[in-house]
Amino acid sequence: MKKGFIALLTLVMLSSCQEQTKIGFVDNSKLINDYQKKKDIEAKFQVEIDAFNKKVDSIGQSFQAQAAEMQASDPNMAQKGSQEKYQALAQQYQRFQQQFQMEEQQIQTKSQSQIDTLIKQVRTFVKNFGEKNDYSYILGSNEAGSVMYGDESKDLTKEILEALNAEGKKD
């Protein structure tokens, strides 16, 4: 009876010792930068930025043409009327530049907001992935060195990225 109890106690201790903490890690940069939704957001905003830049260039060329025309009609800007027209044109161009800066800032703000939302979604996905696959910890590797070394077999970046992109295709 004593031997049976000791054997049972040993078995219980061994099984409790075998319960290990499951840990993995992901390369944060790769996970975010290779995520298809991020690439889609960047492509969408690149189209918007390109259109914005064309508009700015077009209006800038128009102002330059008007300024050149004024200077050609009165090369020395001797006439008071020419100087006033040139100043009015310069003020108008300055207002357009301020408007362009505001528009550019709005594009950047919208883009950053969508990227921030995307990062929150990725964090939630990784958390759910960890819970579903019984991980105690999923660490993030980045340039700052939060994970200085990780066994390649514990790198979950590819697996999570594939699952994340597969989920994104469902949307």
Side-chain angles (χ1 to χ4, degrees):
M1 176 92 165
K2 214 176 194 185
K3 287 183 182 182
F5 179 72
I6 291 175
L8 181 63
L9 184 61
T10 305
L11 243 156
V12 168
M13 288 177 61
L14 282 175
S15 67
S16 69
C17 289
Q18 289 181 359
E19 187 180 312
Q20 295 180 344
T21 303
K22 192 172 177 182
I23 299 173
F25 70 94
V26 295
D27 181 333
N28 293 338
S29 299
K30 184 174 178 148
L31 185 64
I32 295 296
N33 291 329
D34 291 349
Y35 184 25
Q36 189 58 48
K37 276 190 178 181
K38 181 178 186 272
K39 291 177 181 180
D40 294 345
I41 289 170
E42 287 174 337
K44 180 182 100 175
F45 279 102
Q46 190 58 51
V47 168
E48 200 170 321
I49 288 167
D50 290 345
F52 171 76
N53 287 336
K54 283 181 183 176
K55 181 174 105 177
V56 169
D57 290 345
S58 173
I59 291 174
Q61 288 173 355
S62 173
F63 274 106
Q64 287 175 350
Q66 288 178 21
E69 186 179 309
M70 280 184 196
Q71 193 161 16
S73 66
D74 187 4
N76 298 323
M77 293 286 188
Q79 297 177 358
K80 185 177 182 183
S82 294
Q83 288 177 348
E84 289 173 357
K85 285 181 188 177
Y86 191 77
Q87 283 179 336
L89 183 66
Q91 288 174 349
Q92 187 180 12
Y93 183 68
Q94 203 170 30
R95 283 192 299 273
F96 275 114
Q97 282 184 318
Q98 289 171 348
Q99 180 183 344
F100 294 151
Q101 286 174 344
M102 285 180 13
E103 286 180 41
E104 185 177 34
Q105 193 171 23
Q106 287 173 345
I107 291 171
Q108 288 174 349
T109 301
K110 281 191 324 189
S111 173
Q112 191 58 51
S113 173
Q114 287 189 17
I115 295 296
D116 289 346
T117 300
L118 182 90
I119 289 171
K120 287 178 188 173
Q121 291 171 350
V122 169
R123 285 183 182 150
T124 301
F125 185 89
V126 171
K127 178 181 181 260
N128 293 338
F129 181 92
E131 289 172 352
K132 189 185 331 180
N133 293 288
D134 298 320
Y135 280 90
S136 299
Y137 301 98
I138 296 180
L139 308 173
S141 172
N142 60 30
E143 297 300 318
S146 61
V147 175
M148 298 295 282
Y149 168 77
D151 182 346
E152 291 297 317
S153 67
K154 305 295 184 198
D155 187 350
L156 304 171
T157 306
K158 184 178 178 188
E159 184 179 352
I160 291 176
L161 183 60
E162 288 172 356
L164 199 53
N165 283 328
E167 183 180 275
K169 288 180 182 177
K170 292 177 189 175
D171 294 340

